[in-house]
Amino acid sequence: MMSSHTAHTTRASKIWEKGARLGSGISLLSLCIASVAAGAAEYTINTDSPRQVIQGLGVELQLDSIGSGNNGLPEQVTGIPHDLIHSERERLNNEMLQGFRYARLAMGLYYRGLTLDEKYLAERYPGHLEETRSIIMDSGMEGASAEYWSQTPYWKSTNSYIGGELRDDIDYEDFGDAVIKDIQHFEQGGIPVVRWSLQNEPFTSNNRYSNTYFPSDGIKYYEAYLATASKVRAYNPDIFLHSDSGHGQKSSRVDLIHEDPAALALVDGWSWHKIGTNSNDQIKNADYYNSETHGKPVYNNEFEYLDGKTSVDRMINTAQSIMNWMTFMDSPTWYWLHALKPSYNKESEGYGLGLWRPGDDNNFDQYSHIAPHHWDYLNTNWNGIAGFVKYMPWDSVRQHVNEQKVRFNQRIMSWKTPSGQMVFALTNRNTTPFTYTIDISKTSGAFTGRRFDVAERDAYIGEVSGASVAITVPPQSVEFWVEYDQQKPTFSISTVGMDICENAAVKRSAQGPCAQTASTGVLKVKRIGGDDRAVTVQLVDRSSANAGEDFASIPLTAHFDQGQDTVMIPVAPIDDTQGETTENISFELAIHNDYNVAAANRATIKLHDDGDDELNWVGVYPVSDGAESGMPVVVELVRSGDLSRALDVNYQLGGSATGGSDYSILGNRAYFASGQERVRVEVPVLDDRELEEHETLSVALLPSDKYYVSSPIATQKITDDERPLTLVVDNADAGRVAVNGDWATSSFSDERHGADYLHDRKNGKGSKSVTFSPLLPSASAYAVSVIYSAGNDRANNVPVTINHAGGSNTVTVNQQENGGNWVGLGEYQFSGNNADLVTIANTGTSGFVMADAVRFEDLGTVIDNTQAQLTGSWNVSSFAAERIGGDYLHDRNMPKGELAATYAWQAPTSGDYIVYVYYNSLSDRATNVPVTVEYADGSETVTIDQTRNGGAWQPLGVFPLEADQTARVTISNAGTDGFVIADAIRWVAVAR
């Protein structure tokens, strides 16, 4: 048996084995310069020197949206699988994902729904968990490799997925329990969590997408890892725990783990992100990656190309990255970043093995061959990985290959499949052919080849046999050579008839796809030789049609009795009422040591729909936020496709707002009349007198077999109108900003308020300033803060001067840190006239100076205990540092019912006012302190627990006051169960 490859036997060559494995005493440098016969390279494949078990490969799944260029977390969902039609989901599962073992699950990013308390992960829209299960488990993967891109906001300093660290006051016991609840959430949805890590890239801190930063001193990472990993280990010892998901065992964040045997015992492996790295790195720096491992495996669990570009050279580099991690680091696995990326994200070509077109992408100038809700491969990414997914089954065992010279651009790796079949892979990254001379005498001596390059995927390229073979690999290609045994039978698969129809009796037209099709298709599996024994051949389903729904399920085996040379497998379509595109019923012969597979190893039958009406696609999109002032939350439901039929669509209301008190619950169904494309849903917002944070209301479409869901959720904000006055002056506000000197306008950074910001061009130091002049409604105390974009090239000593009623103060701001956040400058009393100014200057600065916006928050009027009218004998104390003024009062915890402190205040104008109380907390404080507020409509008593929330202004509620009316707040010790504190009261006008 001959092919374009030369098949021959050579004299057994003595291969220099010393130094072929690192750590043998021979340096890599000596390997690279070892002499070899000109024009030839000599390799020996061993079957008696097994190395590590290769568990299988991993891939990440984009289950939700991220902004183009990894910028932002859009509310509108763009993700797989929900954005694909059903046949494309099935094709993705069977064609691409089948063969991967681990699904990298980005917790807090691509799965970022929250419970109302924001402590635990939850679905972001109905059906999200089931869709996640379907893409992982229906593709045959083992389970989820779950990592936090960000912990849920409850545990973070920013109360947000984006930016920040874990809270300093975090309760690690509760935090560990929350991690287990998140794992259980996936398990209860049918997704096993088989690998887990505390944090993806703990060194990352940005304001673009989900992340949690762990400082480089490693203290917080150590504490958090110890608390959470120990909980995971106790919950399920079989979950593989890895650290640090970025810089592996070399990260400064794991230094304390290295020093603590108890923590080290909770690390099963070290995970790296050598993103887009040249595969040479794993050869040249193998000693570095293999050191300080404590006997635990190292592996790369994220690989992509950050510049968003792909190429043929990178395709081979990707293949070599897999091979070199496994050859030189004994890695048990390797992960590519994304299976599919959306067609309109600018980073997609460098990140995805393929692309899909979301329903809202109407730009067909790019990827015009990809229809909406369909996907296709990126050959220059996928073809570098596909052969490993197919020809390196889970739990294959790498076999050592002796290399006389370790080459950077031509790599070789060999393994034995679980069924005992030898396979070896070859690459050629050069632009000219390269010939491998390989000693295969320790194998059965015969192999069939498959090639992957930019133009071909899994192309059959012939057979080689002998004790030594010469294989010439074309430029920029990857080849896989699978062992076969001439004494064993060879099998092929084909079809009898290429087309079938759901209902062959239906003839919509003489030219229709069902006009000339059969009612049943047939797969024909044929044996060539070796018919003296019974054998069972394994089949792999690669269909886009769904077995059990589109066609009757068939066995995934073909059994041959002794002497039998053909097995015919009927394929019967299932008729349904769902209009579908033409789908493929494809089956492939699995490689196995019991038999050989011929070139014809895949057969496809086309399955045509019989003309049923296609389902509509329905999405929900935001229109306008709501406010308590009477503005409703408005969303729009939009459908596409055949509009001739009426359609009912079910939805569900959710979010942090409460139905019945924050908004009216009107229903959960939208009706499309025949011909109607858009339906608006308006949810009335209810006004209350509660002081609340801004809340959210989501309208989520419920899954149905009557329609596809494209954009599944629209989340809008409900603005509470009981808010203290907050005034922001932006750099673009005409009449309120005075610019002195030549400042540049920029919108480059996303860390900004409004459309743009100013910078001083890093010149003219001492001559430039920007002055912000607020128009404050009245004299009052205000908290002042600024916002700016941060960066290493920014000035760390920017002078900001606040002119206020008491004079002026200058605060120095470090603009290299805290970008995109409001940075406080202090609290000041302002007069409410044009003398209230805040000036940002570039005097004495060395870097760029940013001038963006200034915020003024009304702090209202504070009434201290020294101004209160006292009943009974209160004790004056300054023991607690948490106090307003020089002291506070307490009741000595006696005598109850005889002490009261009344704070009187006269409202300057009519309106609603928020009243706050301030106290310090200790465990001996009363839990039931009555505080009575007298206002325009009467009085109200609020009970507060002074064992909690001390040291901060706590709101009592919102109350209407008339101009010049005296309002009173009375703190009493009547019926209390501990020490009662009376310190200060604050009144703040509600912004209208």
Side-chain angles (χ1 to χ4, degrees), residues 91 94-96 377 382 390 450 457-458 491-495 498 523-524 540-544 584-590 597-605:
R91 185 168 73 91
N94 287 342
E95 281 194 10
M96 178 185 284
Y377 295 101
W382 171 241
K390 179 175 181 179
R450 300 277 175 168
R457 184 182 309 124
D458 204 20
F491 290 89
S492 65
I493 186 170
S494 60
T495 64
M498 297 295 291
L523 297 173
K524 179 181 178 181
V540 179
D541 186 354
R542 301 290 190 187
S543 306
S544 62
N584 288 332
I585 301 173
S586 295
F587 283 87
E588 186 175 83
L589 301 181
V597 174
N601 73 333
R602 185 168 180 174
T604 299
I605 299 171

Side-chain angles (χ1 to χ4, degrees), residues 600-808:
N601 73 333
R602 185 168 180 174
T604 299
I605 299 171
K606 289 191 177 299
L607 173 61
H608 301 286
D609 188 75
D610 59 0
D612 297 313
D613 294 328
E614 291 190 17
L615 299 182
N616 286 169
W617 280 88
V618 183
V620 58
Y621 302 91
V623 175
S624 65
D625 289 329
E628 288 189 351
S629 57
M631 294 170 52
V633 167
V634 182
V635 300
E636 189 171 57
L637 275 63
V638 181
R639 67 167 172 162
S640 60
D642 182 5
L643 307 183
S644 62
R645 293 178 298 153
L647 180 67
D648 278 324
V649 175
N650 296 317
Y651 61 85
Q652 175 178 293
L653 302 180
S656 62
T658 303
S661 58
D662 294 315
Y663 59 89
S664 296
I665 303 175
L666 299 182
N668 58 1
R669 189 177 71 171
Y671 177 75
F672 288 88
S674 175
Q676 188 174 11
E677 181 184 12
R678 299 172 182 268
V679 172
R680 282 203 168 192
V681 173
E682 295 192 3
V683 183
V685 176
L686 302 177
D687 197 5
D688 57 30
R689 300 288 287 276
E690 299 295 326
L691 181 65
E692 301 170 308
E693 294 295 325
H694 295 321
E695 297 175 292
T696 59
L697 174 63
S698 63
V699 179
L701 300 183
L702 295 177
S704 173
D705 58 0
K706 303 298 183 185
Y707 49 83
Y708 293 116
V709 175
S710 52
S711 180
I713 189 169
T715 301
Q716 300 288 74
K717 184 169 64 177
I718 294 180
T719 305
D720 184 33
D721 58 2
E722 283 80 25
R723 311 294 299 174
L725 172 66
T726 299
L727 183 67
V728 176
V729 183
D730 186 70
N731 66 278
D733 290 344
R736 304 257 61 91
V737 177
V739 179
N740 179 34
D742 180 24
W743 290 74
T745 301
S746 177
S747 58
F748 176 78
S749 174
D750 297 310
E751 297 177 343
R752 65 177 186 265
H753 180 277
D756 53 40
Y757 54 90
L758 305 176
H759 67 77
D760 74 338
R761 303 179 189 271
K762 202 180 176 180
N763 62 28
K765 296 300 184 180
S767 65
K768 299 182 181 182
S769 62
V770 179
T771 298
F772 298 79
S773 176
L775 187 60
L776 302 176
S778 61
S780 184
Y782 288 84
V784 182
S785 52
V786 294
I787 193 171
Y788 49 82
S789 67
N792 293 333
D793 60 353
R794 310 299 198 241
N796 61 6
N797 57 344
V798 178
V800 183
T801 301
I802 303 96
N803 290 331
H804 51 87
S808 68

Side-chain angles (χ1 to χ4, degrees), residues 327-384:
T327 297
F328 296 101
M329 268 68 74
D330 286 340
S331 295
T333 184
W334 183 96
Y335 287 62
W336 177 266
L337 187 61
H338 279 288
L340 299 183
K341 288 290 288 182
S343 52
Y344 48 39
N345 279 24
K346 67 181 183 181
E347 74 277 10
S348 291
E349 284 196 6
Y351 281 44
L353 298 176
L355 301 174
W356 93 88
R357 184 180 297 279
D360 58 348
D361 182 7
N362 298 314
N363 179 14
F364 286 89
D365 292 338
Q366 272 195 309
Y367 320 119
S368 59
H369 64 290
I370 304 178
H373 309 295
H374 289 65
W375 69 273
D376 198 7
Y377 295 101
L378 282 165
N379 284 356
T380 44
N381 291 336
W382 171 241
N383 287 8

Side-chain angles (χ1 to χ4, degrees), residues 777-778 905-913 959-965 989-990:
S778 61
W905 179 69
Q906 195 172 65
T909 58
S910 298
D912 289 340
Y913 290 82
F959 303 93
L961 299 177
E962 300 295 337
D964 300 323
Q965 175 192 0
V990 170

